[in-house]
Amino acid sequence: METKKEKVPQLLSVIKLKRNRIKSLSPGWKGASFVLVLAVLFLFLIQAHYLLWERGFIDFAVGSILFIVVVVLLCGFITLLVHGIKKMPSRYLWLFLSSFVLLYICFVGPLYVSSAVVLFIIVGLSIWGAVLYKFIQGSYKNTTMLKKIVASGSFVSMTVALGFAWFWVVNEGESEVAGVTLKELKNSPRYDEGLLKSPIAKGRYQVSTITYGSKNSYRKEFKQHNSLLTRTVDGSSFLEKWSSLRSKTVGFGPEAMPLNGSVWYPEGEGPFPLVVIVHGNHMMTSYSDPGYDYLGELLASRGYIFVSIDENFLNASPYNDMFMISALENENPARGWLILEHIRTWKEWNADKKNPFYQKVNMDQIALIGHSRGGEAIAIATAFNKLNNFPDNGNIKFDYNFHIRTLISIAGTNGQYKASGKTIPLENVNFLALHGAHDMDVNTFASASQYNRVSFTNKEDFMTASVYIYGANHGQFNRRWSRGDGVGMGNQLFNLKQLMSRADQETIAKVFISAFLDGTLKNEKEYENIFRDIGYAKEWLPDTIYISNYKDSNTNFISTYDEDIDLLSTTIPGGKLNGKNLQVWKEEKVKMKYGVDEYSAVRLGWNGSKNSDTTSYTVVLPDEGITFTENSSIVFSMADSSERKTTSYHKDLIDLTVKVEDKNGNKASLPLSHISKLVPMIEGKLLKWPFENLGETKEPVFQNYSFELTDFKQVNSHFNPLALQKISFEFDLTEKGTILMNDIGIRN
């Protein structure tokens, strides 16, 4: 029997024999491999720098090497599996697969685009490297002239192709179709009356700053000599998969989360309304909360205590989450809950005579602002604020009941968290949603859903509004986030040239946020005009396309299209809806870029070239349930839904006639353009050529309209606004089109 000592030399001999049988790579494959290795490592280290450098050099080096080793080993295993059917050397196949994974991490984005770009890079570099290496090795010296010409032509062609690819990657893209601007749409003299003061003018207060944090805060800015001290809070019941690496990085676990915040406040007696802003999901160690200082400086000067809170320790971290294999889960409700714990702290300070904010905070006037995932967190916080228990665990008690009056969602997400499986409803709160048409992260108008889930049940004044902004992206609302919304080099897949400047996007945020806060927290009702009709803000806004929607608690809605399946019935019983000569007439849930939303509208389509008769849609008001005054207005929301390719926003504007009739048969008409024509769907071509038309590039966004009944009285003096009976929409000014309409009502 052989001993173990005798077996070892035999095993080594077998391994050596097997190794000697491995065929060496030909010069072409060697060149392809050599160039591909260098290029992939270079690109991957750039991306690793973006993801890991802020953690320090050691974490950057360890994380990069570890990830490369894992990918290479995994792809080596896959290579062994396909070894039997290989058409290329196994070592190159191994390298090909490893390169694909590493480059995909570099150019992470839409699956089909990232895959196409990565494959082009790998194949292009491989061909270029193979031909170059064979030239260097002299492989073409003794070949025919035809082969030399083909090889030279291939090398030159691939050099040009790779040069073009590099230019494509570093280039910002192309500008989009020029849009019809706000000043072109809103050119009525009534906007020039100068009744409103600028909402972005610096206020009368001097601004001071301070920070606060817990003793175990992982960031020095919250532990300054004058920083206020806060307690830690236990959020472990809300979270899953908080890794030990995450605890090591931040210095605490989910059971001891800090309450950290940066404060901009006015120097004065007060009390001042409290405004809390929370960031969204970004790299955990690339801190997002300082990025709203431009809002803090403005709002504090105008008499608000502005707080940007730190929830970065809940954000994504490829290093701490084992390259997202074990990512932190269920952090959305924790984000909302943390906001309430911050407000609890402010309530305690406001009652503490030893605290510098003693009786300086108006706890009856609280506003929450959230960006991205924070936009959903503020809705979660507001819902939790009125509950006694956590919806997903009744053993967790709530006792908040703060006076949260106003919410502002900036590029907010929606539906990532569902309480007891349901989306978040909100009651009796003011709500504003801002969203960029060129958002490359939340690239559908997600917070429009939350806008439509706000209801009013009491007699107080509340309003909801939304503004969709041509040329605005996701990140430029935060000064710490980049111009691109992707991850590192993944940004280079997107058409960045079409974006407005960061300064313009910040101006837009300041105008709408400041005006909304003044209107809802300081009772300066004149600022509501900006949201009823955005033309009143054109003096302060960058001149681009805006689509704005609005509704308030003073509106009696005749038809919201959510009540039943009867096309003729109205939301208020007793009314009637009639269509005449319409090509399309149906009620439906609104289809957005990525699925069907929760709210409904009526779809109306017409084509005057195929029908010479009058095409109309008429609302017959019920005899009871609606009251009118001399100052009443007809309101409705409308969105373009035409299936046409937008080649000119000017050419594709929709106009129609709005006609009213009283109980005595007196009629009056005004064109839709009396307020403004309807803008076609904004086509946000987010990706560069040749991918710009792939996927969904546009979706219907609703524009609100408000026609004062006195305006119709001026058209026909016999028309009696107090006896309004019918509202008709006649499709006679644009030959053909399709629209969605909802929220038809009377505002007093």
Side-chain angles (χ1 to χ4, degrees):
M1 181 179 293
E2 293 180 311
T3 65
K4 290 184 178 180
K5 289 185 177 180
E6 291 172 331
K7 287 183 177 181
V8 171
Q10 291 180 5
L11 180 60
L12 292 175
S13 298
V14 171
I15 293 174
K16 185 176 181 181
L17 180 63
K18 292 286 187 182
R19 186 190 65 191
N20 291 336
R21 287 181 178 177
I22 296 175
K23 185 178 179 181
S24 297
L25 290 175
S26 66
W29 288 114
K30 283 184 180 179
S33 300
F34 183 74
V35 170
L36 190 56
V37 166
L38 290 180
V40 170
L41 285 176
F42 175 72
L43 293 172
F44 180 75
L45 288 175
I46 293 175
Q47 186 73 349
H49 181 276
Y50 174 82
L51 295 172
L52 301 173
W53 186 256
E54 290 181 349
R55 304 182 61 87
F57 176 77
I58 294 177
D59 284 355
F60 164 75
V62 171
S64 300
I65 293 170
L66 180 61
F67 192 82
I68 290 173
V69 169
V70 170
V71 168
V72 170
L73 290 177
L74 178 62
C75 293
F77 176 73
I78 296 173
T79 302
L80 290 175
L81 294 179
V82 300
H83 179 76
I85 57 171
K86 69 178 183 177
K87 296 294 182 181
M88 59 183 70
S90 295
R91 279 170 289 174
Y92 177 79
L93 178 59
W94 186 3
L95 174 61
F96 182 98
L97 294 172
S98 301
S99 298
F100 185 90
V101 175
L102 292 172
L103 286 176
Y104 192 89
I105 297 299
C106 293
F107 293 98
V108 64
L111 177 63
Y112 48 88
V113 179
S114 296
S115 299
V117 170
V118 168
L119 284 173
F120 183 88
I121 291 173
I122 293 174
V123 173
L125 288 172
S126 296
I127 295 173
W128 188 82
V131 177
L132 176 63
Y133 195 80
K134 292 178 76 172
F135 268 121
I136 294 173
Q137 291 292 309
S139 300
Y140 295 113
K141 285 183 179 180
N142 300 319
T143 60
T144 64
M145 181 58 68
L146 179 61
K147 286 186 177 180
K148 290 179 180 178
I149 293 173
V150 171
S152 299
S154 299
F155 181 75
V156 171
S157 299
M158 195 51 63
T159 301
V160 172
L162 289 172
F164 173 79
W166 179 253
F167 173 79
W168 185 90
V169 168
V170 300
N171 183 42
E172 283 204 334
E174 299 177 339
S175 298
E176 275 201 321
V177 176
V180 57
T181 65
L182 177 63
K183 289 182 179 178
E184 291 175 301
L185 278 173
K186 302 289 188 177
N187 52 21
S188 170
R190 67 175 174 270
Y191 301 124
D192 302 323
E193 296 174 357
L195 299 178
L196 297 177
K197 296 179 181 179
S198 171
I200 56 174
K202 185 177 179 180
R204 62 188 179 91
Y205 294 99
Q206 292 295 316
V207 177
S208 294
T209 60
I210 195 171
T211 63
Y212 63 83
S214 306
K215 284 184 178 180
N216 70 332
S217 178
Y218 60 119
R219 293 168 57 188
K220 62 181 181 181
E221 55 263 49
F222 299 123
K223 296 188 292 185
Q224 302 296 317
H225 67 90
N226 63 337
S227 295
L228 300 177
L229 183 64
T230 57
R231 67 190 184 283
T232 60
V233 292
D234 184 358
S236 56
S237 298
F238 297 92
L239 299 164
E240 294 180 17
K241 295 187 178 180
W242 180 292
S243 69
S244 58
L245 275 175
R246 185 178 288 265
S247 293
K248 184 177 180 181
T249 297
V250 298
F252 56 85
E255 74 288 344
M257 293 193 292
L259 298 176
N260 299 332
S262 299
V263 187
W264 290 259
Y265 63 95
E267 294 183 2
E269 291 299 319
F272 302 106
L274 177 65
V275 179
V276 178
I277 191 168
V278 59
H279 57 81
N281 192 31
H282 206 58
M283 291 295 103
M284 187 184 81
T285 49
S286 180
Y287 306 129
S288 300
D289 55 288
Y292 307 106
D293 56 347
Y294 69 101
L295 290 173
E297 291 287 343
L298 172 68
L299 295 175
S301 77
R302 295 175 65 86
Y304 296 94
I305 295 174
F306 182 89
V307 187
S308 181
I309 66 174
D310 166 33
E311 293 188 354
N312 291 279
F313 47 84
L314 296 176
N315 280 355
S317 177
Y319 187 94
N320 294 305
D321 295 335
M322 299 177 66
F323 307 105
M324 309 314 291
I325 294 173
S326 181
L328 184 66
E329 293 182 357
N330 296 336
E331 33 73 47
N332 290 85
R335 291 175 188 269
W337 168 76
L338 269 173
I339 296 171
L340 296 173
E341 289 299 314
H342 277 267
I343 299 175
R344 187 197 296 276
T345 298
W346 280 94
K347 182 179 180 180
E348 292 168 356
W349 287 347
N350 197 48
D352 183 358
K353 293 182 179 181
K354 297 180 181 180
N355 193 279
F357 289 104
Y358 173 62
Q359 293 188 348
K360 287 184 178 291
V361 189
N362 186 345
M363 295 301 296
D364 290 329
Q365 301 288 354
I366 299 173
L368 307 181
I369 305 175
H371 184 189
S372 190
R373 201 167 293 194
E376 185 171 349
I378 61 172
I380 295 170
T382 305
F384 286 0
N385 181 56
K386 296 183 177 181
L387 299 178
N388 295 320
N389 304 79
F390 178 35
D392 298 331
N393 184 350
N395 293 316
I396 300 175
K397 306 297 183 182
F398 290 158
D399 182 21
Y400 296 113
N401 295 306
F402 304 124
H403 293 281
I404 300 173
R405 287 192 54 83
T406 296
L407 304 181
I408 300 176
S409 173
I410 305 172
T413 60
N414 174 69
Q416 291 187 353
Y417 168 68
K418 294 185 177 180
S420 302
K422 305 178 184 68
T423 50
I424 300 295
L426 296 175
E427 286 186 352
N428 302 325
V429 67
N430 301 290
F431 183 84
L432 170 64
L434 303 177
H435 202 93
H438 297 85
D439 191 314
M440 294 163 281
D441 184 352
V442 183
N443 51 19
T444 186
F445 193 2
S447 52
S449 295
Q450 187 63 73
Y451 168 94
N452 282 282
R453 292 201 304 273
V454 179
S455 60
F456 309 121
T457 61
N458 61 32
K459 299 297 183 180
E460 288 187 69
D461 282 345
F462 292 104
M463 65 173 174
T464 60
S466 68
V467 185
Y468 193 70
I469 308 152
Y470 181 97
N473 75 333
H474 192 80
Q476 289 187 137
F477 289 113
N478 184 309
R479 284 185 171 175
R480 289 296 183 95
W481 295 4
S482 69
R483 182 167 169 80
D485 298 334
V487 180
M489 286 185 290
N491 285 315
Q492 302 309 121
L493 304 175
F494 295 97
N495 189 7
L496 303 182
K497 192 173 183 179
Q498 64 194 335
L499 302 180
M500 65 174 58
S501 69
R502 181 182 293 275
D504 280 350
Q505 196 160 324
E506 288 180 3
T507 297
I508 290 170
K510 289 191 289 188
V511 168
F512 289 120
I513 290 172
S514 178
F516 199 75
L517 292 175
D518 283 356
T520 58
L521 296 188
K522 293 186 176 180
N523 206 34
E524 296 181 12
K525 295 298 183 181
E526 62 272 19
Y527 283 112
E528 292 183 10
N529 289 325
I530 288 176
F531 302 97
R532 291 189 184 125
D533 189 337
I534 200 172
Y536 287 105
K538 68 177 183 177
E539 178 183 344
W540 312 297
L541 290 169
D543 201 23
T544 186
I545 307 176
Y546 301 87
I547 302 179
S548 60
N549 206 2
Y550 173 90
K551 56 186 176 182
D552 60 32
S553 55
N554 294 313
T555 300
N556 200 343
F557 289 106
I558 302 166
S559 196
T560 61
Y561 301 99
D562 287 315
E563 66 279 350
D564 54 37
I565 61 172
D566 185 356
L567 285 175
L568 303 183
S569 67
T570 55
T571 303
I572 298 177
K576 192 172 183 181
L577 303 169
N578 292 315
K580 183 179 179 182
N581 297 321
L582 291 161
Q583 284 203 319
V584 179
W585 176 19
K586 62 179 180 178
E587 296 178 11
E588 62 186 21
K589 295 292 184 182
V590 176
K591 298 179 180 68
M592 303 299 281
K593 283 182 182 177
Y594 302 107
V596 178
D597 220 320
E598 304 165 299
Y599 58 98
S600 299
V602 61
R603 178 181 291 272
L604 304 171
W606 70 97
N607 189 338
S609 65
K610 295 183 178 181
N611 191 343
S612 59
D613 296 331
T614 301
T615 304
S616 64
Y617 182 72
T618 300
V619 182
V620 181
L621 276 60
D623 293 330
E624 298 179 354
I626 300 177
T627 58
F628 299 96
T629 69
E630 292 290 344
N631 296 319
S632 293
S633 299
I634 297 169
V635 299
F636 54 91
S637 294
M638 190 179 289
D640 177 43
S641 188
S642 303
E643 295 297 326
R644 60 174 178 267
K645 183 175 178 61
T646 302
T647 56
S648 169
Y649 287 97
H650 295 80
K651 181 180 178 181
D652 293 333
L653 293 170
I654 290 177
D655 204 359
L656 53 90
T657 298
V658 181
K659 180 182 287 187
V660 294
E661 181 177 343
D662 64 21
K663 294 179 180 179
N664 297 317
N666 298 305
K667 302 175 183 179
S669 301
L670 287 169
L672 189 69
S673 53
H674 176 70
I675 303 300
S676 73
K677 293 182 179 180
L678 181 65
V679 176
M681 279 191 282
I682 293 176
E683 196 161 12
K685 296 182 179 181
L686 304 181
L687 296 163
K688 289 181 185 175
W689 176 91
F691 306 109
E692 72 270 28
N693 290 315
L694 294 178
E696 297 294 335
T697 61
K698 56 186 179 181
E699 60 190 352
V701 178
F702 284 85
Q703 171 73 53
N704 71 288
Y705 287 88
S706 177
F707 282 77
E708 295 181 10
L709 292 179
T710 53
D711 287 353
F712 292 102
K713 178 77 172 177
Q714 292 178 8
V715 174
N716 180 359
S717 60
H718 298 292
F719 170 69
N720 182 5
L722 300 180
L724 178 67
Q725 186 177 46
K726 294 180 182 179
I727 307 167
S728 296
F729 303 90
E730 296 187 351
F731 304 101
D732 55 350
L733 301 180
T734 298
E735 185 177 58
K736 62 180 179 180
T738 305
I739 62 165
L740 297 171
M741 187 159 56
N742 65 8
D743 292 341
I744 303 172
I746 302 296
R747 177 182 301 127
N748 294 319

